Amino acid sequence: MANQKQIAALRKDLHGEVDRIKRDYSPLKIDNAFVVWFAEAYILGDRGRAKDGVIGGPGDKTVDAVYVDERNRIIHLVQGKYHQVAASDDADVYKFANRARDFWNLDFDEELKRAGPGARKKLQEAHKLLHGSAKNPFEIKMYFATTGKVSANCKTKAKQIAAGSGRTRLEVLDQQAILAQFKEWLEGSSPPLGELDISVDGPQTLIYQEDTLQGWIFTTTSQEVHRLHKLAGERLFAKNVRGYLGSDGSINKAISDTARNKPDLFWFLNNGITIVANHVEKHDSGKRVWIRMTNPQVVNGQQTVRTLADAGRNTARVLVRVIRLEQQNATEGIVGLVGEVVRATNRQNAIKAADLMANDAEQVRIEREFRKLNYAYERKRQDSKEFSEKAFKHQKVRKEDLANALSATILGPHTVRRTAQWEEKYPCLFSRPTTDYLVRWWASRQVAHVEAVPIEARWVVLASLWNWSDSPVRSALSREADRQAFLRACQNQDSTILRPLDAAAKQLYICSKAVYLKGKKDFSEDVKRSGKPFKVLTPDAFFRREYVGGEVTSAARKDARRKNRITSLLKKFRAKLEDSL
C-alpha cells in the first residue's frame, strides 16, 4: 500500500502539474487547469485537445468540458473540482448526475438560456448529436473528477441517477482515484483502456486469492489474443518495459514458427501472457466464458501478442494470467506491486537494466518534453524500423546514447555503457532540465562527427571539452538561452558557431591518439616482461580505463601551444554562441 509520504509526494507533483497548465494557458482558472490535465490523462491523451474542450466558467451548467468522440459515438462531459485541502463533494456529484436528464430532454434550449455563450454553443452541439437520427446513436459518458472526497453511497446513487436518464454512464473519481491516475500518467500509462473482454477456451479457469489480490489463469486462442490487440492497439503495452523487438529476432521467429507449424505444442512451449488490470470479472453465459478486464495491461508477453497478431490464422492455444490490482496498488504505480510484477515476469528474455527504467516518471517526462521540441525519444527498446515509423519526421534520440552523454560529462568517460547508469547512478544523471539533456546529447554527436576514431575516444574528448578548466563548454551552456542557441545551431548545422567547437575537439582527438599509442606500447612491454601470451590493447579497451580521460586532458595541457589553441577555440565558440542570442 502506498504510504503517506508517497501520497503526499503525488499530491505535490499533481499540484505542480496543474499550476504549470494554468501558467501555460493563462488566464485559465485553476479548476479548469485541473480539468485539462484530467481530460488529457484519462480521456484523450492530448493536452491541446483537452484545452479546446473546456467551457468551465459562469453559466457552464455544471459541465466544465465537452469532448465528442465520433468514432465510438460517445459524448464526454467532465466536471472537475480542485481542492488544495480535501473536502466532501457529495452534493456536487448529485447535482452533476442530475444534469444528465437535461441532455435527454428535448426542450434543452430553455435550460441553456442562462448559459454562457461559449458553453451554450458546445452544449447545444452535444444535445443535437444525442437526438440525431443516426442508426448508431451517441451515448453520454460523464466524469466527476475531484481531489476531494466522495462517499461510497453517493457514488452508487449518483451512477443510478445518471443511468436512469438515458444512454448515460457516470464515473466518479475522488482523491484516491485521481492520485492513482496521476501516477499512471507520470509513468506513461494513460489514458487508460476501458473494459475489454477475452474469451476463455473451455470452461476451466483457476482463481487464486491472497489478501486483496486476485489472479486468474486460463487458456485462450491465438485469434482471441489477436482480437484483443486489434481492439486496444499499442496502449495494451503501456506498462511493458520494452517495445516490440520485430519479427527478425530468433525468439520471435520461433514463436511464429511454433504458432504456424506446431500449434498443438504452442501452449507447452510458450511462457504465455501476463496481464494486470484495475478490475477483473468472470462471466459465464452457459455457452461462453469470458474475463472482463478494466484497463488491461500486458506486462509480460508482448512479443507473443505481437507475433501472433502477424502470424495469420492458426489454432494455437495461449496460457493467460490476469492479476487484479487494488486501487492502493495502482497508486504505488511502477515502484509498487505493478513494478514487482513487471520486473519479476520480465527477467527471462534478455531484459537490460535500462529496460527496467523505461516507465520511470523521468523517462516518461523526457519523452513528452522531447516530443514537444520535435525529438523522438526511444524510451523503450524496440525494433528500429518500428521506432523510425513512430518517430516519423522527429529527430531520433536513443535512450542509451543520452545516458552515455550524461555519464561522460557528469561522472567521467570511463562510466559510459555501465549498468550503474540505470541503477545507483540513475538519480545523479536523470534529474535536470530538458534542454540540459539535449545539449549534452548534441555535443556528443558533434564531437563524434569530427574524426573517424574509436567510439570510446569520443567520450574522453567530450568529457575533456565539457570540463576544460580555462573555458569549459558546460559554462558556455549554463543558461537556458545559451542552451537554446546551441540547439538551434546543431539543428541547423550552423558552422559559424560549431566550427570552433569541432576544431577544439580535433585537437583533443590528436592528443588522445598519441596517448593511446604510448599506452599501447607500454602495455605490450608489460605483457612481454610478464611472459604472458601476446595480447593487443585495443583503442576501445584503452579509452574505457578510468584514468585515461585525465591523461588525455593532462597531455593536452602540457603542450602549451595545444592548450592555448583549445582555450582560444572554446572562447570563440562561446562568443559566437552569445552573438547569436
Side-chain angles (χ1 to χ4, degrees), residues 121-174:
K121 182 180 179 182
K122 288 196 175 183
L123 294 173
Q124 283 176 329
E125 290 172 353
H127 184 263
K128 184 177 179 180
L129 289 171
L130 286 173
H131 294 273
S133 57
K135 292 182 180 179
N136 184 15
F138 277 86
E139 65 177 49
I140 297 176
K141 196 162 184 184
M142 306 176 74
Y143 309 84
F144 188 95
T146 177
T147 54
K149 300 177 181 178
V150 181
S151 68
N153 185 50
C154 174
K155 291 178 184 178
T156 301
K157 288 185 177 180
K159 288 178 182 179
Q160 293 171 349
I161 292 170
S165 304
R167 297 185 302 276
T168 307
R169 290 177 289 161
L170 169 65
E171 281 191 62
V172 180
L173 295 95
D174 59 8

Side-chain angles (χ1 to χ4, degrees), residues 446-447 450 493 497-507 509 569:
Q446 200 61 34
V447 166
V450 174
Q493 283 299 290
I497 294 173
L498 298 178
R499 191 181 292 116
L501 181 64
D502 294 348
K506 188 168 184 177
Q507 289 295 315
Y509 272 130
L569 287 166

Side-chain angles (χ1 to χ4, degrees), residues 255-430:
I255 293 172
S256 180
D257 180 66
T258 304
R260 293 172 187 270
N261 303 317
K262 303 174 186 176
D264 293 345
L265 295 177
F266 192 91
W267 192 95
F268 300 96
L269 300 178
N270 185 268
N271 285 337
I273 301 164
T274 300
I275 300 172
V276 296
N278 295 351
H279 188 69
V280 184
E281 291 178 346
K282 179 183 176 182
H283 293 263
D284 189 343
S285 67
K287 295 182 178 180
R288 172 176 169 256
V289 179
W290 69 96
I291 302 295
R292 176 160 292 166
M293 307 168 290
T294 303
N295 191 27
Q297 288 289 309
V298 173
V299 295
N300 181 252
Q302 178 182 183
Q303 309 310 315
T304 294
V305 174
R306 290 290 306 271
T307 302
L308 288 177
D310 295 334
R313 296 193 64 83
N314 59 77
T315 59
R317 298 296 187 269
V318 185
L319 178 66
V320 181
R321 179 171 60 158
V322 178
I323 300 171
R324 187 190 73 184
L325 299 173
E326 288 297 307
Q327 197 170 74
Q328 66 233 30
N329 293 317
T331 307
E332 290 176 338
I334 209 71
V335 299
L337 177 65
V338 181
E340 289 185 42
V341 173
V342 169
R343 287 169 172 80
T345 57
N346 280 283
R347 289 290 187 184
Q348 306 95 329
N349 189 18
I351 294 292
K352 300 179 180 180
D355 294 332
L356 293 175
M357 296 306 294
N359 292 329
D360 177 74
E362 181 64 3
Q363 293 300 309
V364 177
R365 188 191 74 83
I366 292 170
E367 182 182 43
R368 286 194 180 117
E369 295 303 314
F370 277 22
R371 174 75 51 176
K372 294 176 185 177
L373 299 173
N374 289 320
Y375 292 86
Y377 183 58
E378 192 180 23
R379 176 167 63 89
K380 296 183 179 183
R381 183 159 56 96
Q382 57 195 284
D383 177 59
S384 59
K385 182 179 178 182
E386 180 149 307
F387 178 54
S388 294
E389 290 174 354
K390 291 177 182 176
F392 192 43
K393 294 183 179 180
H394 291 66
Q395 174 74 54
K396 292 181 287 187
V397 180
R398 290 182 66 253
K399 179 170 62 175
E400 287 78 5
D401 290 342
L402 177 60
N404 288 333
L406 293 169
S407 291
T409 53
I410 297 168
L411 302 174
H414 62 285
T415 64
V416 303
R417 306 177 192 277
R418 308 286 187 185
T419 302
Q421 292 175 325
W422 306 102
E423 294 178 346
E424 64 266 27
K425 299 299 183 183
Y426 182 84
C428 171
L429 299 178
F430 288 95

Side-chain angles (χ1 to χ4, degrees), residues 62-73:
T62 73
V63 178
D64 290 328
V66 180
Y67 306 101
V68 177
D69 182 348
E70 291 275 4
R71 179 182 177 186
N72 295 305
R73 312 296 283 178

Side-chain angles (χ1 to χ4, degrees), residues 158-295:
K159 288 178 182 179
Q160 293 171 349
I161 292 170
S165 304
R167 297 185 302 276
T168 307
R169 290 177 289 161
L170 169 65
E171 281 191 62
V172 180
L173 295 95
D174 59 8
Q175 182 186 88
Q176 187 179 26
I178 288 296
L179 290 179
Q181 184 54 40
F182 182 67
K183 187 67 177 175
E184 296 274 298
W185 179 81
L186 284 175
E187 294 166 356
S189 305
S190 66
L193 290 166
E195 291 182 344
L196 289 174
D197 297 343
I198 184 167
S199 294
V200 176
D201 185 46
Q204 297 300 316
T205 58
L206 175 65
I207 301 176
Y208 178 77
Q209 181 153 352
E210 180 67 35
D211 196 15
T212 60
L213 288 172
Q214 276 189 324
W216 284 258
I217 297 177
F218 56 92
T219 298
T220 193
T221 65
S222 170
Q223 298 309 306
E224 190 67 5
V225 170
H226 174 47
R227 185 190 65 81
L228 184 68
H229 175 246
K230 189 174 181 180
L231 285 172
E234 294 309 294
R235 287 166 61 194
L236 189 61
F237 312 114
K239 279 190 169 70
N240 205 291
V241 297
R242 293 183 301 189
Y244 179 49
L245 300 180
S247 58
D248 294 333
S250 59
I251 293 175
N252 288 354
K253 280 183 178 179
I255 293 172
S256 180
D257 180 66
T258 304
R260 293 172 187 270
N261 303 317
K262 303 174 186 176
D264 293 345
L265 295 177
F266 192 91
W267 192 95
F268 300 96
L269 300 178
N270 185 268
N271 285 337
I273 301 164
T274 300
I275 300 172
V276 296
N278 295 351
H279 188 69
V280 184
E281 291 178 346
K282 179 183 176 182
H283 293 263
D284 189 343
S285 67
K287 295 182 178 180
R288 172 176 169 256
V289 179
W290 69 96
I291 302 295
R292 176 160 292 166
M293 307 168 290
T294 303
N295 191 27

Side-chain angles (χ1 to χ4, degrees), residues 469-519:
S469 59
D470 298 297
S471 185
V473 170
R474 71 170 188 274
S475 296
L477 301 176
S478 60
R479 299 180 305 168
E480 177 66 20
D482 296 324
R483 294 196 291 268
Q484 293 283 1
F486 181 64
L487 293 180
R488 288 193 297 272
C490 291
Q491 290 160 358
N492 299 323
Q493 283 299 290
D494 186 341
S495 60
T496 303
I497 294 173
L498 298 178
R499 191 181 292 116
L501 181 64
D502 294 348
K506 188 168 184 177
Q507 289 295 315
L508 282 163
Y509 272 130
I510 293 169
C511 193
S512 66
K513 184 177 180 180
V515 171
Y516 164 64
L517 291 174
K518 182 180 183 303

